[in-house]
PDB file of all heavy atoms in Angstrom:
ATOM      1  N   ASP A 115      14.630   7.650 -12.925  1.00 91.00           N
ATOM      2  CA  ASP A 115      15.733   7.783 -13.860  1.00 91.00           C
ATOM      3  C   ASP A 115      16.439   9.159 -13.660  1.00 91.00           C
ATOM      4  O   ASP A 115      17.662   9.233 -13.712  1.00 91.00           O
ATOM      5  CB  ASP A 115      15.259   7.637 -15.247  1.00 91.00           C
ATOM      6  CG  ASP A 115      16.377   7.842 -16.264  1.00 91.00           C
ATOM      7  OD1 ASP A 115      17.455   7.234 -16.080  1.00 91.00           O
ATOM      8  OD2 ASP A 115      16.090   8.473 -17.338  1.00 91.00           O
ATOM      9  N   GLN A 116      15.615  10.195 -13.407  1.00 89.00           N
ATOM     10  CA  GLN A 116      16.251  11.548 -13.206  1.00 89.00           C
ATOM     11  C   GLN A 116      16.911  11.667 -11.843  1.00 89.00           C
ATOM     12  O   GLN A 116      17.937  12.345 -11.792  1.00 89.00           O
ATOM     13  CB  GLN A 116      15.038  12.540 -13.265  1.00 89.00           C
ATOM     14  CG  GLN A 116      14.483  12.716 -14.688  1.00 89.00           C
ATOM     15  CD  GLN A 116      15.341  13.106 -15.776  1.00 89.00           C
ATOM     16  OE1 GLN A 116      16.145  14.060 -15.557  1.00 89.00           O
ATOM     17  NE2 GLN A 116      15.261  12.449 -16.895  1.00 89.00           N
ATOM     18  N   ARG A 117      16.440  10.954 -10.823  1.00 85.00           N
ATOM     19  CA  ARG A 117      16.936  11.055  -9.519  1.00 85.00           C
ATOM     20  C   ARG A 117      18.120  10.207  -9.343  1.00 85.00           C
ATOM     21  O   ARG A 117      19.190  10.531  -8.643  1.00 85.00           O
ATOM     22  CB  ARG A 117      15.890  10.742  -8.541  1.00 85.00           C
ATOM     23  CG  ARG A 117      16.340  10.946  -7.042  1.00 85.00           C
ATOM     24  CD  ARG A 117      15.180  10.665  -6.092  1.00 85.00           C
ATOM     25  NE  ARG A 117      15.513  10.955  -4.655  1.00 85.00           N
ATOM     26  CZ  ARG A 117      15.357  12.122  -4.073  1.00 85.00           C
ATOM     27  NH1 ARG A 117      14.817  13.144  -4.700  1.00 85.00           N
ATOM     28  NH2 ARG A 117      15.729  12.247  -2.817  1.00 85.00           N
ATOM     29  N   TYR A 118      18.133   8.963  -9.923  1.00 85.00           N
ATOM     30  CA  TYR A 118      19.205   8.058  -9.673  1.00 85.00           C
ATOM     31  C   TYR A 118      19.654   7.528 -11.102  1.00 85.00           C
ATOM     32  O   TYR A 118      19.512   6.340 -11.500  1.00 85.00           O
ATOM     33  CB  TYR A 118      18.759   6.879  -8.835  1.00 85.00           C
ATOM     34  CG  TYR A 118      18.136   7.182  -7.572  1.00 85.00           C
ATOM     35  CD1 TYR A 118      16.840   7.137  -7.285  1.00 85.00           C
ATOM     36  CD2 TYR A 118      19.064   7.529  -6.433  1.00 85.00           C
ATOM     37  CE1 TYR A 118      16.329   7.396  -5.984  1.00 85.00           C
ATOM     38  CE2 TYR A 118      18.539   7.802  -5.263  1.00 85.00           C
ATOM     39  CZ  TYR A 118      17.208   7.833  -4.994  1.00 85.00           C
ATOM     40  OH  TYR A 118      16.757   8.123  -3.731  1.00 85.00           O
ATOM     41  N   PRO A 119      20.320   8.390 -11.850  1.00 83.00           N
ATOM     42  CA  PRO A 119      20.664   8.091 -13.279  1.00 83.00           C
ATOM     43  C   PRO A 119      21.725   6.981 -13.284  1.00 83.00           C
ATOM     44  O   PRO A 119      21.816   6.288 -14.344  1.00 83.00           O
ATOM     45  CB  PRO A 119      21.147   9.360 -13.795  1.00 83.00           C
ATOM     46  CG  PRO A 119      21.609  10.203 -12.623  1.00 83.00           C
ATOM     47  CD  PRO A 119      20.706   9.814 -11.540  1.00 83.00           C
ATOM     48  N   ASP A 120      22.555   6.770 -12.272  1.00 80.00           N
ATOM     49  CA  ASP A 120      23.599   5.809 -12.372  1.00 80.00           C
ATOM     50  C   ASP A 120      23.316   4.536 -11.724  1.00 80.00           C
ATOM     51  O   ASP A 120      24.155   3.613 -11.732  1.00 80.00           O
ATOM     52  CB  ASP A 120      24.914   6.411 -11.773  1.00 80.00           C
ATOM     53  CG  ASP A 120      25.469   7.636 -12.500  1.00 80.00           C
ATOM     54  OD1 ASP A 120      25.323   7.620 -13.762  1.00 80.00           O
ATOM     55  OD2 ASP A 120      25.862   8.629 -11.855  1.00 80.00           O
ATOM     56  N   LEU A 121      22.128   4.412 -11.161  1.00 84.00           N
ATOM     57  CA  LEU A 121      21.857   3.172 -10.351  1.00 84.00           C
ATOM     58  C   LEU A 121      21.304   2.128 -11.359  1.00 84.00           C
ATOM     59  O   LEU A 121      20.505   2.401 -12.337  1.00 84.00           O
ATOM     60  CB  LEU A 121      20.730   3.492  -9.328  1.00 84.00           C
ATOM     61  CG  LEU A 121      20.266   2.293  -8.372  1.00 84.00           C
ATOM     62  CD1 LEU A 121      19.965   2.898  -7.001  1.00 84.00           C
ATOM     63  CD2 LEU A 121      19.030   1.634  -8.941  1.00 84.00           C
ATOM     64  N   GLU A 122      21.679   0.873 -11.177  1.00 89.00           N
ATOM     65  CA  GLU A 122      21.169  -0.212 -12.041  1.00 89.00           C
ATOM     66  C   GLU A 122      19.828  -0.647 -11.542  1.00 89.00           C
ATOM     67  O   GLU A 122      19.648  -1.064 -10.349  1.00 89.00           O
ATOM     68  CB  GLU A 122      22.195  -1.381 -11.987  1.00 89.00           C
ATOM     69  CG  GLU A 122      21.758  -2.555 -12.817  1.00 89.00           C
ATOM     70  CD  GLU A 122      22.618  -3.809 -12.662  1.00 89.00           C
ATOM     71  OE1 GLU A 122      23.746  -3.700 -12.049  1.00 89.00           O
ATOM     72  OE2 GLU A 122      22.356  -4.898 -13.256  1.00 89.00           O
ATOM     73  N   LEU A 123      18.916  -0.649 -12.433  1.00 95.00           N
ATOM     74  CA  LEU A 123      17.546  -1.120 -12.137  1.00 95.00           C
ATOM     75  C   LEU A 123      17.279  -2.363 -12.890  1.00 95.00           C
ATOM     76  O   LEU A 123      17.434  -2.462 -14.089  1.00 95.00           O
ATOM     77  CB  LEU A 123      16.505  -0.016 -12.528  1.00 95.00           C
ATOM     78  CG  LEU A 123      15.078  -0.369 -12.257  1.00 95.00           C
ATOM     79  CD1 LEU A 123      14.717  -0.552 -10.868  1.00 95.00           C
ATOM     80  CD2 LEU A 123      14.142   0.655 -12.924  1.00 95.00           C
ATOM     81  N   GLU A 124      16.787  -3.389 -12.174  1.00 97.00           N
ATOM     82  CA  GLU A 124      16.404  -4.697 -12.779  1.00 97.00           C
ATOM     83  C   GLU A 124      14.931  -4.975 -12.486  1.00 97.00           C
ATOM     84  O   GLU A 124      14.408  -4.735 -11.347  1.00 97.00           O
ATOM     85  CB  GLU A 124      17.189  -5.838 -12.118  1.00 97.00           C
ATOM     86  CG  GLU A 124      16.816  -7.167 -12.603  1.00 97.00           C
ATOM     87  CD  GLU A 124      17.546  -8.265 -11.911  1.00 97.00           C
ATOM     88  OE1 GLU A 124      17.873  -8.104 -10.712  1.00 97.00           O
ATOM     89  OE2 GLU A 124      17.690  -9.411 -12.509  1.00 97.00           O
ATOM     90  N   CYS A 125      14.144  -5.205 -13.507  1.00 94.00           N
ATOM     91  CA  CYS A 125      12.680  -5.531 -13.374  1.00 94.00           C
ATOM     92  C   CYS A 125      12.446  -6.982 -13.658  1.00 94.00           C
ATOM     93  O   CYS A 125      12.889  -7.439 -14.729  1.00 94.00           O
ATOM     94  CB  CYS A 125      11.871  -4.585 -14.329  1.00 94.00           C
ATOM     95  SG  CYS A 125      11.845  -2.853 -13.855  1.00 94.00           S
ATOM     96  N   LEU A 126      11.800  -7.669 -12.774  1.00 94.00           N
ATOM     97  CA  LEU A 126      11.416  -9.060 -13.003  1.00 94.00           C
ATOM     98  C   LEU A 126       9.920  -9.135 -13.099  1.00 94.00           C
ATOM     99  O   LEU A 126       9.141  -8.447 -12.430  1.00 94.00           O
ATOM    100  CB  LEU A 126      11.918  -9.886 -11.788  1.00 94.00           C
ATOM    101  CG  LEU A 126      13.418  -9.802 -11.388  1.00 94.00           C
ATOM    102  CD1 LEU A 126      13.664 -10.662 -10.142  1.00 94.00           C
ATOM    103  CD2 LEU A 126      14.207 -10.340 -12.558  1.00 94.00           C
ATOM    104  N   ILE A 127       9.394 -10.096 -13.928  1.00 89.00           N
ATOM    105  CA  ILE A 127       8.033 -10.404 -14.060  1.00 89.00           C
ATOM    106  C   ILE A 127       7.724 -11.732 -13.359  1.00 89.00           C
ATOM    107  O   ILE A 127       8.412 -12.703 -13.613  1.00 89.00           O
ATOM    108  CB  ILE A 127       7.548 -10.502 -15.495  1.00 89.00           C
ATOM    109  CG1 ILE A 127       7.756  -9.132 -16.228  1.00 89.00           C
ATOM    110  CG2 ILE A 127       6.113 -10.904 -15.578  1.00 89.00           C
ATOM    111  CD1 ILE A 127       6.949  -7.980 -15.656  1.00 89.00           C
ATOM    112  N   ALA A 128       6.792 -11.783 -12.444  1.00 89.00           N
ATOM    113  CA  ALA A 128       6.353 -12.986 -11.747  1.00 89.00           C
ATOM    114  C   ALA A 128       4.985 -12.785 -11.227  1.00 89.00           C
ATOM    115  O   ALA A 128       4.416 -11.718 -11.339  1.00 89.00           O
ATOM    116  CB  ALA A 128       7.348 -13.278 -10.610  1.00 89.00           C
ATOM    117  N   GLU A 129       4.380 -13.857 -10.719  1.00 86.00           N
ATOM    118  CA  GLU A 129       3.001 -13.807 -10.225  1.00 86.00           C
ATOM    119  C   GLU A 129       2.857 -14.455  -8.960  1.00 86.00           C
ATOM    120  O   GLU A 129       3.566 -15.426  -8.588  1.00 86.00           O
ATOM    121  CB  GLU A 129       2.074 -14.503 -11.332  1.00 86.00           C
ATOM    122  CG  GLU A 129       2.172 -14.037 -12.680  1.00 86.00           C
ATOM    123  CD  GLU A 129       1.723 -12.520 -12.848  1.00 86.00           C
ATOM    124  OE1 GLU A 129       1.037 -11.992 -11.982  1.00 86.00           O
ATOM    125  OE2 GLU A 129       2.149 -11.862 -13.878  1.00 86.00           O
ATOM    126  N   CYS A 130       1.943 -13.932  -8.085  1.00 84.00           N
ATOM    127  CA  CYS A 130       1.424 -14.582  -6.917  1.00 84.00           C
ATOM    128  C   CYS A 130       2.532 -15.116  -6.019  1.00 84.00           C
ATOM    129  O   CYS A 130       3.364 -14.273  -5.512  1.00 84.00           O
ATOM    130  CB  CYS A 130       0.434 -15.664  -7.271  1.00 84.00           C
ATOM    131  SG  CYS A 130      -0.887 -15.256  -8.329  1.00 84.00           S
ATOM    132  N   ASP A 131       2.631 -16.362  -5.682  1.00 88.00           N
ATOM    133  CA  ASP A 131       3.559 -16.979  -4.729  1.00 88.00           C
ATOM    134  C   ASP A 131       5.066 -16.714  -5.174  1.00 88.00           C
ATOM    135  O   ASP A 131       5.906 -16.597  -4.403  1.00 88.00           O
ATOM    136  CB  ASP A 131       3.308 -18.431  -4.515  1.00 88.00           C
ATOM    137  CG  ASP A 131       2.046 -18.707  -3.773  1.00 88.00           C
ATOM    138  OD1 ASP A 131       1.581 -17.725  -3.063  1.00 88.00           O
ATOM    139  OD2 ASP A 131       1.632 -19.882  -3.694  1.00 88.00           O
ATOM    140  N   ASP A 132       5.181 -16.660  -6.567  1.00 89.00           N
ATOM    141  CA  ASP A 132       6.534 -16.431  -7.038  1.00 89.00           C
ATOM    142  C   ASP A 132       7.144 -15.057  -6.665  1.00 89.00           C
ATOM    143  O   ASP A 132       8.217 -14.870  -6.314  1.00 89.00           O
ATOM    144  CB  ASP A 132       6.586 -16.598  -8.612  1.00 89.00           C
ATOM    145  CG  ASP A 132       6.365 -18.037  -9.043  1.00 89.00           C
ATOM    146  OD1 ASP A 132       6.473 -18.967  -8.184  1.00 89.00           O
ATOM    147  OD2 ASP A 132       5.983 -18.339 -10.110  1.00 89.00           O
ATOM    148  N   LEU A 133       6.132 -14.077  -6.720  1.00 91.00           N
ATOM    149  CA  LEU A 133       6.555 -12.736  -6.329  1.00 91.00           C
ATOM    150  C   LEU A 133       6.904 -12.651  -4.871  1.00 91.00           C
ATOM    151  O   LEU A 133       7.875 -12.066  -4.419  1.00 91.00           O
ATOM    152  CB  LEU A 133       5.376 -11.741  -6.597  1.00 91.00           C
ATOM    153  CG  LEU A 133       5.246 -11.182  -8.014  1.00 91.00           C
ATOM    154  CD1 LEU A 133       3.892 -10.516  -8.142  1.00 91.00           C
ATOM    155  CD2 LEU A 133       6.375 -10.183  -8.262  1.00 91.00           C
ATOM    156  N   VAL A 134       6.027 -13.308  -3.982  1.00 93.00           N
ATOM    157  CA  VAL A 134       6.286 -13.336  -2.557  1.00 93.00           C
ATOM    158  C   VAL A 134       7.613 -14.060  -2.268  1.00 93.00           C
ATOM    159  O   VAL A 134       8.483 -13.500  -1.526  1.00 93.00           O
ATOM    160  CB  VAL A 134       5.236 -14.089  -1.847  1.00 93.00           C
ATOM    161  CG1 VAL A 134       5.583 -14.346  -0.397  1.00 93.00           C
ATOM    162  CG2 VAL A 134       3.897 -13.334  -1.888  1.00 93.00           C
ATOM    163  N   ALA A 135       7.973 -15.145  -2.991  1.00 93.00           N
ATOM    164  CA  ALA A 135       9.303 -15.843  -2.738  1.00 93.00           C
ATOM    165  C   ALA A 135      10.464 -14.988  -3.207  1.00 93.00           C
ATOM    166  O   ALA A 135      11.509 -15.047  -2.543  1.00 93.00           O
ATOM    167  CB  ALA A 135       9.243 -17.111  -3.618  1.00 93.00           C
ATOM    168  N   LEU A 136      10.283 -14.233  -4.244  1.00 95.00           N
ATOM    169  CA  LEU A 136      11.375 -13.329  -4.682  1.00 95.00           C
ATOM    170  C   LEU A 136      11.722 -12.298  -3.607  1.00 95.00           C
ATOM    171  O   LEU A 136      12.912 -11.978  -3.426  1.00 95.00           O
ATOM    172  CB  LEU A 136      10.975 -12.649  -5.999  1.00 95.00           C
ATOM    173  CG  LEU A 136      11.047 -13.482  -7.301  1.00 95.00           C
ATOM    174  CD1 LEU A 136      10.443 -12.718  -8.427  1.00 95.00           C
ATOM    175  CD2 LEU A 136      12.442 -13.823  -7.630  1.00 95.00           C
ATOM    176  N   VAL A 137      10.784 -11.770  -2.968  1.00 96.00           N
ATOM    177  CA  VAL A 137      11.003 -10.655  -1.945  1.00 96.00           C
ATOM    178  C   VAL A 137      11.521 -11.446  -0.660  1.00 96.00           C
ATOM    179  O   VAL A 137      12.401 -10.898   0.016  1.00 96.00           O
ATOM    180  CB  VAL A 137       9.707  -9.924  -1.638  1.00 96.00           C
ATOM    181  CG1 VAL A 137      10.043  -8.881  -0.537  1.00 96.00           C
ATOM    182  CG2 VAL A 137       9.270  -9.198  -2.842  1.00 96.00           C
ATOM    183  N   GLN A 138      10.940 -12.550  -0.273  1.00 95.00           N
ATOM    184  CA  GLN A 138      11.368 -13.266   0.927  1.00 95.00           C
ATOM    185  C   GLN A 138      12.833 -13.684   0.841  1.00 95.00           C
ATOM    186  O   GLN A 138      13.569 -13.558   1.822  1.00 95.00           O
ATOM    187  CB  GLN A 138      10.528 -14.463   1.178  1.00 95.00           C
ATOM    188  CG  GLN A 138       9.252 -14.271   1.842  1.00 95.00           C
ATOM    189  CD  GLN A 138       8.513 -15.435   2.314  1.00 95.00           C
ATOM    190  OE1 GLN A 138       8.083 -16.335   1.475  1.00 95.00           O
ATOM    191  NE2 GLN A 138       8.417 -15.603   3.631  1.00 95.00           N
ATOM    192  N   SER A 139      13.250 -14.108  -0.343  1.00 94.00           N
ATOM    193  CA  SER A 139      14.623 -14.518  -0.557  1.00 94.00           C
ATOM    194  C   SER A 139      15.678 -13.448  -0.657  1.00 94.00           C
ATOM    195  O   SER A 139      16.882 -13.709  -0.621  1.00 94.00           O
ATOM    196  CB  SER A 139      14.751 -15.471  -1.784  1.00 94.00           C
ATOM    197  OG  SER A 139      14.446 -14.678  -2.956  1.00 94.00           O
ATOM    198  N   GLY A 140      15.163 -12.212  -0.888  1.00 94.00           N
ATOM    199  CA  GLY A 140      16.016 -11.028  -1.090  1.00 94.00           C
ATOM    200  C   GLY A 140      16.391 -10.884  -2.572  1.00 94.00           C
ATOM    201  O   GLY A 140      17.173  -9.973  -2.886  1.00 94.00           O
ATOM    202  N   ARG A 141      15.862 -11.829  -3.384  1.00 95.00           N
ATOM    203  CA  ARG A 141      16.220 -11.630  -4.887  1.00 95.00           C
ATOM    204  C   ARG A 141      15.624 -10.325  -5.374  1.00 95.00           C
ATOM    205  O   ARG A 141      16.215  -9.687  -6.304  1.00 95.00           O
ATOM    206  CB  ARG A 141      15.652 -12.870  -5.634  1.00 95.00           C
ATOM    207  CG  ARG A 141      15.820 -12.806  -7.079  1.00 95.00           C
ATOM    208  CD  ARG A 141      17.308 -12.897  -7.471  1.00 95.00           C
ATOM    209  NE  ARG A 141      17.463 -12.854  -8.925  1.00 95.00           N
ATOM    210  CZ  ARG A 141      17.490 -11.670  -9.649  1.00 95.00           C
ATOM    211  NH1 ARG A 141      17.279 -10.545  -9.083  1.00 95.00           N
ATOM    212  NH2 ARG A 141      17.675 -11.769 -10.986  1.00 95.00           N
ATOM    213  N   ALA A 142      14.424 -10.000  -4.921  1.00 96.00           N
ATOM    214  CA  ALA A 142      13.882  -8.677  -5.253  1.00 96.00           C
ATOM    215  C   ALA A 142      13.690  -7.830  -3.964  1.00 96.00           C
ATOM    216  O   ALA A 142      13.424  -8.320  -2.961  1.00 96.00           O
ATOM    217  CB  ALA A 142      12.411  -8.870  -5.942  1.00 96.00           C
ATOM    218  N   HIS A 143      13.985  -6.524  -4.126  1.00 96.00           N
ATOM    219  CA  HIS A 143      13.891  -5.639  -2.983  1.00 96.00           C
ATOM    220  C   HIS A 143      12.437  -5.145  -2.798  1.00 96.00           C
ATOM    221  O   HIS A 143      11.986  -4.871  -1.632  1.00 96.00           O
ATOM    222  CB  HIS A 143      14.737  -4.402  -3.281  1.00 96.00           C
ATOM    223  CG  HIS A 143      16.195  -4.747  -3.528  1.00 96.00           C
ATOM    224  ND1 HIS A 143      16.735  -4.780  -4.691  1.00 96.00           N
ATOM    225  CD2 HIS A 143      17.168  -5.220  -2.610  1.00 96.00           C
ATOM    226  CE1 HIS A 143      18.083  -5.067  -4.726  1.00 96.00           C
ATOM    227  NE2 HIS A 143      18.324  -5.425  -3.413  1.00 96.00           N
ATOM    228  N   VAL A 144      11.680  -4.918  -3.912  1.00 96.00           N
ATOM    229  CA  VAL A 144      10.343  -4.472  -3.857  1.00 96.00           C
ATOM    230  C   VAL A 144       9.550  -5.211  -4.927  1.00 96.00           C
ATOM    231  O   VAL A 144      10.030  -5.695  -5.926  1.00 96.00           O
ATOM    232  CB  VAL A 144      10.296  -2.980  -4.205  1.00 96.00           C
ATOM    233  CG1 VAL A 144       8.828  -2.477  -4.253  1.00 96.00           C
ATOM    234  CG2 VAL A 144      11.121  -2.111  -3.251  1.00 96.00           C
ATOM    235  N   ALA A 145       8.228  -5.468  -4.551  1.00 96.00           N
ATOM    236  CA  ALA A 145       7.367  -6.152  -5.537  1.00 96.00           C
ATOM    237  C   ALA A 145       6.042  -5.463  -5.589  1.00 96.00           C
ATOM    238  O   ALA A 145       5.634  -4.904  -4.577  1.00 96.00           O
ATOM    239  CB  ALA A 145       7.221  -7.625  -5.211  1.00 96.00           C
ATOM    240  N   PHE A 146       5.340  -5.544  -6.688  1.00 94.00           N
ATOM    241  CA  PHE A 146       3.965  -5.147  -6.853  1.00 94.00           C
ATOM    242  C   PHE A 146       3.175  -6.229  -7.330  1.00 94.00           C
ATOM    243  O   PHE A 146       3.306  -6.716  -8.439  1.00 94.00           O
ATOM    244  CB  PHE A 146       3.896  -3.904  -7.849  1.00 94.00           C
ATOM    245  CG  PHE A 146       4.689  -2.728  -7.298  1.00 94.00           C
ATOM    246  CD1 PHE A 146       5.981  -2.507  -7.794  1.00 94.00           C
ATOM    247  CD2 PHE A 146       4.174  -1.872  -6.421  1.00 94.00           C
ATOM    248  CE1 PHE A 146       6.738  -1.380  -7.303  1.00 94.00           C
ATOM    249  CE2 PHE A 146       4.891  -0.774  -5.830  1.00 94.00           C
ATOM    250  CZ  PHE A 146       6.134  -0.572  -6.395  1.00 94.00           C
TER     251      PHE A 146
END
Side-chain angles (χ1 to χ4, degrees):
D115 179 44
Q116 295 297 315
R117 187 177 181 90
Y118 302 106
D120 298 322
L121 185 145
E122 181 182 352
L123 177 67
E124 178 186 27
C125 290
L126 305 175
I127 298 295
E129 305 297 340
C130 305
D131 290 344
D132 292 342
L133 277 169
V134 170
L136 286 170
V137 179
Q138 280 192 293
S139 67
R141 178 64 180 85
H143 304 103
V144 178
F146 297 97

